[in-house]
Amino acid sequence: MSPTGWQSPPQDVLEVLHAPQLPYVWTAPGGAYLLLADPVLYPPLAELAAPMHKLAGIRLNPALNDHHGRHGGTSPRLVRVEDGATTQLDLPGEVEVLEVKWTADGQRFALSVRHSDRIGLWVGSVTGDMVAIEGLALNPLLGTAVSWLPDQNRLLVRRIPARGPVPVPPAIPAGPEIVEGAGASSRSTYEARNLLETAHDDALFEYYATAELVIVDPATGQVDIIGAPALYTMAKFSPSGEYLLIRRLVGPWSHEVAWWRFASEIEVWNDRGACVAAIASLPVADAVPAHGVPTGPRAVTWRPTAPHTLFWAEALDGGDPVAEVPHRDRLMCLKAPFTAEPEVVFKAEHRIQPQRCGWTAEGGTLMLTQRERLRRWRYVWLLDVDHGTSRLWFDLDEGDRYGNPGHPLFRTLPNGRRVLRQRGEAVYFSGSGATDAGDRPFLDLRHLVTGETERLFRCAPDRYEYVVAVAGDDGQSPAHGERVVLRSESAVDVPNYYLATFGEAIAATAGEATHALARQPITQFNDPTPQLRAIAKQIVRYERSDGVPLSFHLHLPPGYREGTALPTVLYAYPMEYSGAATAGQVSGSAHRFMRLYGASHLYFLLRGYAVLDHTAMPILGDPETAYDTFVPQLVADAEAAVAKAVAMGVTDPARVGVIGHSHGGLMVANLLAHTRLFRAGIARSGSYNKTNQPFGFQAERRSLFEAREAYVQLSPTFFADQIDQPVLIIHGDDDSNPGTPTFQSQVFYEAVRGSGGTTRLVLLPFEDHGYRAKESIEHVLWEQLRWFDRYVA
């Protein structure tokens, strides 16, 4: 009989699981200081079991008026980059740092801090001075609760207002739960869960999400109220400090979408809280097409280099990605006093991605990114918004890791706004630097006029290093003598931070660094798990039967003897690609310092298994039809991986197990149903019947009614009678991921069990899509190791 109750894995596994972790790091603008704090991981299950409200897409901890299960870091300290000097911050021992907001000069910071009964605010400086802002509890439910004003002396804060008692639930429901539809258009079934359901839910949401805007002067302790309490999702001062951009939610509250799709008002206020302009009144966005966007202004924001000018994007296709139109989006502009009609600055052929845009510090140039959905292609434009000119800067296949130019770096202006970090007419770009031998991160300069790039830094082939920050804040320094903060590690060297100085230019081959680097250590972290250094890692490349190039990361256990065929665990997550060239590109690096978190499959290495990690499982094809061949492509991917590992002599073909989480759980179930490659499988938090998501999933935009056969064929619940191999099914009992409700595992278990299969269902109480509690993590590790020891090894 199987043991009951909570179980723990062997002691050597527990020692690694609960070993100290490397700290969280927040880097000051200009790179002169690092703020460190030690992560709080694996809270007790009692914390997850504490009262929680599910409100409009939020899991709320009523005791803190914060997100349920949110934790930060303890023992905060400052490290001076110049010499590594460390200053411990004087905070109470039990508090956790959740967020850090630096001033533009990198000399002061505001900390959002978790206390036992509230989220508090502390303000400090690099001298180590700390001040608690008394009598104030932050409200971070609908967004960041703290930001510095443009003067960099005062803070704009969302606090909990004076309020009465918590709304009391009725003795009996006010009525049945009712939803209604008539003539509605289809919408994605990949919507948030934890939605509002009752009038009492509405009252609770309004009670907890309502915030009051105040301006806090840390030097004097003065607190000034701005406007009336409301449900604010945005509050940003203009660069001039004269105006405040506001977005606030307005009722009635929808029971069909999460709060970020609720009706809202976007307004401009003066610095005293009086509304001077209404920018938009947005209705409930409850009919957004799959892979579409809401209509009306979106991503409204201030131009960082103008005193008070607004920019935003608007859909020209009704938000529908399949509508045939010459332009999908337009970029709009509105200047103070906000009384004129908004100006159309640019019409984009494809969807604007506001999160991938940035401004130059001078000249009125906006780097604007568009995405073409069907090609999975990205276009980066340069718009001179002051003179009305525009041109394509560069474009890329977003799946092409080898050709990816990286992402631009930013610097902070004196008013706190961020602009592209430049040296003259070139912008800094940092990227992962993928190659067929693994990632080699880089730092480039990309010229705004010519588009040519200069490679300043590239990680050595035998390490993993990347630039954390460019030291200094002028953004104009020459390469020679320029300094950067570098994070460096290898398979055996613990990650540490270095102050690196560029030396003289050196001769370099194409793609390599053009300057030498001299390194000075900043931190000296120690290895918390030296026993993991005996694990051997390498990247292995091979091909699918149809010639598609593939790869996996091979991990071999401590003490492995060459030529020994081991029981093997294959871990993967299927991904969609447009073509074979990008699908076969290698990801990751064999030179990363191994650390294990949570219920990782890599713990099998401590039990003598080989592990195939990052195993490529590409699904190739047109985004509109790729899932028509999901199962045969999965099978071909898995067959190629196992065949390669067997050919290398590291894997015993009769002792291979497969494990996956979420979409990877779907993969596991399908591979067990349609192949005999594996002795057993572990499927975690998966979705096994896609007909329960009738309007799309992952990259699949078609509805069940447009692609009924595809939905059925990739749903292993319909083929559970073909699963002869033992399958362990694990799921959080309170999964809020829209695509993977807990009942998916319960029904799949019954389908396998009822068909005579060998299966075990483990439902983790109070756990979400990922598992967090100490008891849950330890138990899942015990279940996984026990299952494969019994059925694979």
Side-chain angles (χ1 to χ4, degrees):
M1 181 176 178
S2 297
T4 59
W6 295 108
Q7 304 295 323
S8 295
Q11 184 60 34
D12 61 334
V13 173
L14 288 174
E15 289 173 359
V16 174
L17 176 66
H18 296 301
Q21 296 291 345
L22 296 178
Y24 295 137
V25 178
W26 292 271
T27 306
Y33 286 87
L34 307 178
L35 196 154
L36 313 183
D38 298 322
V40 175
L41 303 176
Y42 318 136
L45 186 62
E47 180 180 313
L48 271 64
M52 173 186 69
H53 298 305
K54 302 176 183 180
L55 304 172
I58 297 171
R59 292 185 166 211
L60 177 135
N61 177 347
L64 299 178
N65 210 115
D66 193 15
H67 296 273
H68 180 68
R70 184 186 185 206
H71 280 278
T74 60
S75 188
R77 62 265 191 203
L78 285 169
V79 177
R80 189 166 58 206
V81 165
E82 189 66 38
D83 57 8
T86 300
T87 303
Q88 198 74 28
L89 298 183
D90 186 17
L91 266 69
E94 77 281 359
V95 305
E96 301 173 22
V97 175
L98 300 174
E99 289 188 81
V100 179
K101 296 294 182 182
W102 289 94
T103 53
D105 62 4
Q107 297 297 301
R108 288 173 297 149
F109 46 86
L111 306 181
S112 298
V113 173
R114 174 183 167 131
H115 293 264
S116 60
D117 60 349
R118 71 191 186 285
I119 307 301
L121 175 62
W122 290 69
V123 178
S125 75
V126 296
T127 64
D129 295 335
M130 296 296 302
V131 176
I133 307 301
E134 301 292 349
L136 182 146
L138 303 181
N139 190 337
L141 283 185
L142 303 183
T144 299
V146 179
S147 60
W148 290 95
L149 267 66
D151 64 16
Q152 300 298 289
N153 291 317
R154 296 172 294 160
L155 291 159
L156 178 63
V157 173
R158 300 185 206 178
R159 74 175 183 185
I160 297 173
R163 61 191 185 189
V166 177
V168 178
I172 63 171
E177 181 181 347
I178 299 173
V179 293
E180 187 174 353
S185 59
S186 67
R187 65 181 184 217
S188 172
T189 47
Y190 200 81
E191 295 286 350
R193 300 183 71 199
N194 304 313
L195 302 180
L196 301 175
E197 295 181 359
T198 67
H200 181 244
D201 286 350
D202 296 354
L204 287 174
F205 174 67
E206 197 162 335
Y207 179 85
Y208 286 109
T210 296
E212 187 172 52
L213 297 179
V214 296
I215 294 178
V216 176
D217 187 337
T220 65
Q222 182 173 341
V223 176
D224 297 317
I225 298 173
I226 303 292
L231 284 77
Y232 297 105
T233 67
M234 177 173 58
K236 297 180 180 178
F237 269 99
S238 63
S240 67
E242 296 181 43
Y243 296 100
L244 188 60
L245 176 62
I246 293 293
R247 182 169 183 170
R248 54 185 178 85
L249 303 180
V250 293
W253 311 122
S254 172
H255 289 192
E256 297 193 20
V257 294
W259 67 265
W260 52 86
R261 294 283 179 90
F262 283 0
S264 63
E265 299 289 337
I266 302 177
E267 300 165 336
V268 173
W269 295 359
N270 62 24
D271 59 359
R272 297 174 301 281
C275 181
V276 299
I279 305 302
S281 294
L282 301 177
V284 176
D286 57 1
V288 178
H291 301 282
V293 297
T295 56
R298 70 178 196 276
V300 183
T301 190
W302 297 107
R303 173 177 167 180
T305 56
H308 25 247
T309 300
L310 293 174
F311 279 81
W312 66 83
E314 283 185 9
L316 292 173
D317 58 1
D320 185 351
V322 299
E324 296 185 5
V325 294
H327 298 97
R328 295 231 168 265
D329 273 351
R330 63 182 182 181
L331 181 69
M332 307 297 291
C333 169
L334 183 61
K335 301 177 181 178
F338 316 106
T339 54
E341 286 296 312
E343 172 189 354
V344 178
V345 177
F346 179 73
K347 290 186 177 181
E349 182 179 357
H350 307 291
R351 188 72 70 209
I352 293 174
Q353 294 186 295
Q355 73 277 15
R356 297 183 183 274
C357 297
W359 293 84
T360 59
E362 298 177 355
T365 298
L366 171 64
M367 183 194 75
L368 179 140
T369 303
Q370 305 177 47
R371 181 180 187 265
E372 185 179 359
R373 182 183 64 91
L374 284 179
R375 289 185 67 205
R376 299 188 177 102
W377 209 268
R378 202 175 298 155
Y379 305 87
V380 181
W381 284 69
L382 296 177
L383 313 182
D384 185 337
V385 300
D386 293 331
H387 299 94
T389 61
S390 61
R391 60 184 176 87
L392 180 66
W393 192 18
F394 62 89
D395 64 320
L396 65 144
D397 180 343
E398 64 183 14
D400 180 9
R401 301 188 80 252
Y402 295 173
N404 193 313
H407 58 273
L409 300 187
F410 290 79
R411 68 183 180 94
T412 306
L413 297 175
N415 62 12
R417 302 297 173 177
R418 298 197 335 140
V419 294
L420 296 170
R421 178 173 283 277
Q422 295 174 239
R423 183 198 297 163
E425 289 297 309
V427 177
Y428 286 88
F429 274 74
S430 177
S432 62
T435 74
D436 58 8
D439 290 354
R440 293 181 59 197
F442 62 82
L443 180 68
D444 281 357
L445 281 172
R446 181 176 287 268
H447 203 279
L448 287 165
V449 177
T450 66
E452 295 179 352
T453 59
E454 176 187 359
R455 180 136 296 172
L456 301 177
F457 162 78
R458 190 173 196 186
C459 170
D462 60 347
R463 297 190 67 80
Y464 188 86
E465 304 179 309
Y466 61 90
V467 172
V468 174
V470 178
D473 58 7
D474 61 357
Q476 302 294 328
S477 55
H480 182 233
E482 185 174 35
R483 303 195 300 177
V484 297
V485 177
L486 196 70
R487 188 180 188 273
S488 178
E489 64 186 272
S490 75
V492 296
D493 296 324
V494 66
N496 269 293
Y497 290 81
Y498 295 82
L499 182 59
T501 305
F502 283 100
E504 298 285 351
I506 57 175
T509 58
E512 297 299 321
T514 56
H515 292 266
L517 273 183
R519 293 169 172 80
Q520 170 187 326
I522 301 169
T523 60
Q524 296 180 341
F525 303 137
N526 296 317
D527 186 351
T529 51
Q531 59 269 50
L532 299 183
R533 291 333 118 214
I535 293 170
K537 298 183 290 183
Q538 68 178 102
I539 293 175
V540 177
R541 300 171 64 201
Y542 53 99
E543 288 188 354
R544 203 164 74 175
S545 58
D546 58 1
V548 174
L550 302 172
S551 65
F552 56 65
H553 291 212
L554 173 63
H555 294 70
L556 295 173
Y560 174 72
R561 292 193 306 239
E562 187 173 355
T564 305
L566 298 176
T568 298
V569 174
L570 183 153
Y571 182 88
Y573 188 96
M575 299 287 290
E576 302 94 355
Y577 295 89
S578 296
T582 54
Q585 293 181 350
V586 173
S587 66
S589 170
H591 304 294
R592 299 299 302 266
F593 181 81
M594 177 180 282
R595 292 179 288 164
L596 303 186
Y597 299 94
S600 173
H601 52 285
L602 295 175
Y603 282 102
F604 281 101
L605 291 160
L606 300 181
R607 307 261 63 81
Y609 291 73
V611 175
L612 312 185
D613 196 19
H614 291 282
T615 307
M617 290 280 170
I619 308 302
L620 308 186
D622 186 307
E624 296 288 284
T625 58
Y627 274 93
D628 290 351
T629 57
F630 179 77
V631 171
Q633 290 201 62
L634 272 187
V635 171
D637 294 334
E639 288 176 341
V642 172
K644 180 63 177 179
V646 171
M648 294 177 67
V650 300
T651 291
D652 179 349
R655 295 187 294 165
V656 184
V658 60
I659 182 171
H661 188 96
S662 193
H663 204 44
L666 174 72
M667 172 201 73
V668 168
N670 270 304
L671 289 175
L672 295 181
H674 299 288
T675 78
R676 293 298 175 263
L677 287 171
F678 304 101
R679 286 285 297 272
I682 300 173
R684 300 190 335 202
S685 296
S687 170
Y688 310 105
N689 181 356
K690 290 301 181 183
T691 67
N692 288 313
Q693 295 171 264
F695 294 107
F697 54 88
Q698 299 293 118
E700 177 57 75
R701 191 203 58 80
R702 298 172 299 174
S703 74
L704 166 65
F705 314 108
E706 297 169 302
R708 183 176 284 106
E709 185 66 15
Y711 274 69
V712 171
Q713 288 300 318
L714 62 86
S715 297
T717 297
F718 292 107
F719 303 94
D721 60 332
Q722 299 176 191
I723 298 178
D724 298 326
Q725 312 92 315
V727 55
L728 172 63
I729 305 165
I730 303 175
H731 215 119
D733 199 22
D734 197 13
D735 193 334
S736 65
N737 184 47
T740 57
T742 304
F743 74 79
Q744 286 271 4
S745 283
Q746 294 169 309
V747 174
F748 180 56
Y749 165 78
E750 285 296 337
V752 176
R753 186 200 63 80
S755 300
T758 300
T759 184
R760 178 178 172 90
L761 175 64
V762 179
L763 298 181
L764 303 170
F766 309 111
E767 291 288 2
D768 203 332
H769 190 57
Y771 319 139
R772 301 196 56 203
K774 174 181 179 293
E775 294 89 338
S776 302
I777 297 297
E778 292 183 1
H779 188 90
V780 169
L781 288 172
W782 177 84
E783 291 277 3
Q784 293 179 165
L785 296 173
R786 177 175 172 270
W787 194 258
F788 276 3
D789 282 350
R790 181 178 181 183
Y791 292 111
V792 175

